[in-house]
Amino acid sequence: MSEGHSAPPAHDAPVTATGDSTGAAPVAVDARHHANHAQAQAQWHSPKEQDSVGRLTPRPTFMENLVNSRDSQFHLDRRDSSELERYFHGPREMDRHSKWPIFMRMHGSVTPKMILPLLIVGGWATCITCISRFVHNLGVNNILLTVLGFVVGLALSFRSSTAYERWADGRKYWAQLIQTSRNLARTIWVNTGEREGENGKVDLLRKLTAMNLILAFAVALKHKLRFEPDIAYDDLAGLVGHLDTFARDAHDRNAITPRPKSLWKATGEYLGVSFAESNPRKLIKRSKKPLGHLPLEILNHLSAYIDSCVSNGTLTSGLHQSQAITMMSTLNEVLTGTERVLDTPLPAAYSIAISQIAWIYVMVLPFQLYNLLLWVTIPASMVAAYIIIGLATIGSEIENPFGQDVNDLPLNTYCRQIAMELDIITATPPPNVDDFMSRPDNLVLFPLSQDSYDEWKARSKEDIRAALRQKVAAGSGLGSIVNGSDSSTEVERITTKTKQSV
């Protein structure tokens, strides 16, 4: 049984009593008996239990505990974090604007991760320079700068291009996810009908549930790509807590309340020290139960909803049925594509070789520069190291675009965008064509004519087509009107001319 639903303490063992109408003494039920109940029933339903004085009180449901709990550190908008913390952690907020010149910005820069490498290179260059100056000249011919520099340039170019390709692929898949979510939500909300009477209320609530599942797919995919296997996150629990999934059965409170990082570990991760970095898959490896595949299971529930709409006659159009099924397949393609980007990084042999090539070149630089630069060898080596190792670090930074680094994709922002757009779609009933077409402020030939829909409806079809021809003839004047450079007098002149010609 999970930590949030453990058995009562031993001194409260007789928590439940049963009796008959004859007034027989209640029979105490041991707390161990309650602990042996089915875990799913204990967590996801709210049976009544007795308090210390024997009164029946409803036990909070597991969903209530998840939604009301604020122990999770995975808030959707990170309002609990300070400005300084948000500055040094990612992903970068797209709506924030900085007036600092680009070369002076630190937010998103790899400079913090370059501090230790630059200190190492500076110490090494100082050692070589001092030995060459006071003991024995270690300088060599700088022909190696040309030969090795070409090889290093090719290696870094390959590293950067492959890493950016993965970053761009991740963005394309999330753009496809947003587009498909819009299309599927519109098909469900507009093209799926609602029956009469009480069934209409059921259809409306099912529509809303399906819209929540569309959002839940995006949020669950975000957490899966970040190796967060639980469902008790603030932005996910209320969307999928009612579904029978493996992730729900494997819920572990410790997964969403990890131990706080020590100062040394947090500093090491910020400086890019590999020994301080944790295994990103540690929560998945520590799970004691099957985690399943939450995004895929959400798709299964969405598919079941589409089938139910076809069965009860609320989605009758074959075209819309095909579109809904196609969009479900597209969501599955997005799921597979993002997993491909996540699980197929640059082969380890390439990564290791490129890193070794870059470091060998940087460490050999002081030997090649000393004869020409003398003491300037030290800062020159550090500048060269910043350029070469910095490019290699950028490739490593953006190789996984779904993480929590500053330069990773802002998946939280994308999920908020989908949630906001679904709210916009569901804010009003499906539009009625007769309502918005015949309104008096529907200027069907604007800006050529200020007449309304009803006024043009009273004219003949030939008059409408003649006006459309006149609209082409007056296109130059209308273009300036649309751009806002002409006054209303010009609009009236063209409108009068159109009426006369018609």
Side-chain angles (χ1 to χ4, degrees):
M1 181 171 290
S2 63
E3 180 181 343
H5 300 277
S6 58
H11 62 274
D12 290 334
V15 295
T16 305
T18 58
D20 53 20
S21 58
T22 61
V27 180
V29 181
D30 186 50
R32 187 181 300 274
H33 173 73
H34 294 280
N36 291 331
H37 280 302
Q39 183 175 2
Q41 295 293 327
Q43 290 183 343
W44 297 94
H45 299 282
S46 56
K48 292 184 177 180
E49 61 180 6
Q50 289 187 348
D51 57 16
S52 58
V53 295
R55 293 174 299 188
L56 291 175
T57 57
R59 180 190 303 167
T61 64
F62 187 69
M63 276 302 306
E64 290 173 348
N65 290 336
L66 292 184
V67 174
N68 295 330
S69 174
R70 287 297 177 265
D71 293 334
S72 172
Q73 68 172 0
F74 299 100
H75 293 288
L76 189 61
D77 51 6
R78 298 180 61 86
R79 290 192 182 94
D80 60 327
S81 57
S82 64
E83 288 291 335
L84 184 62
E85 182 182 356
R86 285 198 297 268
Y87 184 84
F88 288 107
H89 292 78
R92 187 163 51 93
E93 297 182 21
M94 304 300 295
D95 56 350
R96 297 180 68 90
H97 174 69
S98 175
K99 295 184 179 180
W100 285 96
I102 294 180
F103 73 94
M104 296 180 63
R105 297 179 187 176
M106 290 293 294
H107 189 53
S109 172
V110 296
T111 301
K113 296 184 178 180
M114 295 295 299
I115 294 177
L116 291 181
L118 290 181
L119 291 177
I120 294 174
V121 173
W124 172 257
T126 302
C127 180
I128 298 301
T129 303
C130 291
I131 293 176
S132 300
R133 183 73 175 86
F134 300 110
V135 181
H136 177 72
N137 189 353
L138 300 178
V140 298
N141 195 310
N142 59 9
I143 189 64
L144 288 176
L145 285 172
T146 304
V147 177
L148 295 181
F150 178 74
V151 177
V152 172
L154 288 179
L156 294 179
S157 175
F158 175 74
R159 183 74 173 90
S160 300
S161 61
T162 53
Y164 178 77
E165 182 180 359
R166 291 166 51 81
W167 190 92
D169 285 345
R171 181 63 185 99
K172 291 177 183 177
Y173 283 121
W174 272 88
Q176 189 177 12
L177 172 58
I178 295 174
Q179 177 185 0
T180 306
S181 298
R182 293 168 177 168
N183 292 334
L184 182 58
R186 188 174 62 251
T187 299
I188 292 175
W189 190 252
V190 177
N191 302 125
T192 303
E194 298 175 9
R195 293 168 291 181
E196 298 294 334
E198 193 68 20
N199 288 332
K201 185 192 301 182
V202 173
D203 294 336
L204 176 60
L205 293 177
R206 287 186 174 184
K207 278 186 178 183
L208 294 175
T209 302
M211 305 293 268
N212 288 339
L213 290 180
I214 296 175
L215 174 60
F217 175 81
V219 177
L221 179 60
K222 175 193 72 173
H223 287 292
K224 180 174 178 56
L225 295 176
R226 291 177 174 176
F227 308 110
E228 299 167 358
D230 211 279
I231 69 167
Y233 308 111
D234 289 349
D235 55 350
L236 184 61
L239 300 174
V240 298
H242 61 287
L243 304 182
D244 293 326
T245 60
F246 284 98
R248 188 188 72 170
D249 296 335
H251 164 65
D252 182 7
R253 188 178 182 84
N254 294 326
I256 59 173
T257 55
R259 291 179 298 177
K261 298 178 181 178
S262 63
L263 177 62
W264 295 108
K265 182 175 179 59
T267 304
E269 289 183 351
Y270 177 66
L271 296 178
V273 180
S274 60
F275 296 103
E277 296 177 354
S278 302
N279 183 0
R281 292 177 170 83
K282 62 181 180 181
L283 295 179
I284 297 177
K285 296 178 65 175
R286 293 174 183 175
S287 177
K288 300 178 181 178
K289 295 182 179 181
L291 296 172
H293 198 297
L294 186 56
L296 185 61
E297 293 174 272
I298 293 175
L299 286 183
N300 291 342
H301 288 81
L302 265 175
S303 298
Y305 168 75
I306 298 298
D307 288 343
S308 69
C309 292
V310 175
S311 301
N312 61 27
T314 54
L315 187 62
T316 57
S317 173
L319 176 60
H320 295 149
Q321 294 174 6
S322 299
Q323 288 178 341
I325 295 174
T326 301
M327 286 182 283
M328 297 292 297
S329 299
T330 304
L331 291 178
N332 190 48
E333 291 176 5
V334 171
L335 173 59
T336 306
T338 52
E339 289 177 339
R340 175 184 63 82
V341 173
L342 181 68
D343 296 333
T344 52
L346 190 67
Y350 277 111
S351 299
I352 295 173
I354 292 173
S355 178
Q356 291 175 343
I357 290 172
W359 273 100
I360 290 174
Y361 183 80
V362 169
M363 301 304 277
V364 172
L365 273 179
F367 298 96
Q368 304 172 72
L369 298 178
Y370 176 76
N371 290 334
L372 295 176
L373 303 180
L374 299 179
W375 289 106
V376 184
T377 299
I378 300 173
S381 299
M382 296 180 69
V383 171
Y386 183 84
I387 296 173
I388 296 172
I389 301 178
L391 291 175
T393 304
I394 291 175
S396 176
E397 175 87 3
I398 66 176
E399 186 177 32
N400 175 16
F402 306 126
Q404 298 280 6
D405 296 332
V406 177
N407 290 291
D408 289 334
L409 294 174
L411 303 187
N412 287 346
T413 301
Y414 299 156
C415 292
R416 283 198 299 268
Q417 177 182 349
I418 295 176
M420 179 185 66
E421 292 172 351
L422 294 183
D423 289 341
I424 293 174
I425 292 175
T426 58
T428 57
N432 189 324
V433 177
D434 295 333
D435 290 341
F436 68 84
M437 284 290 186
S438 58
R439 289 177 180 173
D441 51 353
N442 179 18
L443 308 180
V444 292
L445 288 178
F446 178 85
L448 178 69
S449 172
Q450 303 296 314
D451 294 340
S452 66
Y453 175 90
D454 290 333
E455 292 174 326
W456 281 104
K457 184 179 179 181
R459 303 180 188 181
S460 65
K461 189 174 182 179
E462 289 73 15
D463 291 344
I464 298 175
R465 295 194 179 279
L468 292 175
R469 287 194 297 272
Q470 183 63 28
K471 187 177 181 180
V472 175
S476 58
L478 294 176
S480 60
I481 294 173
V482 172
N483 293 329
S485 60
D486 281 347
S487 63
S488 58
T489 305
E490 183 67 14
V491 177
E492 295 176 357
R493 184 186 67 79
I494 296 178
T495 303
T496 304
K497 182 178 178 182
T498 302
K499 291 182 178 180
Q500 292 175 353
S501 63
V502 173

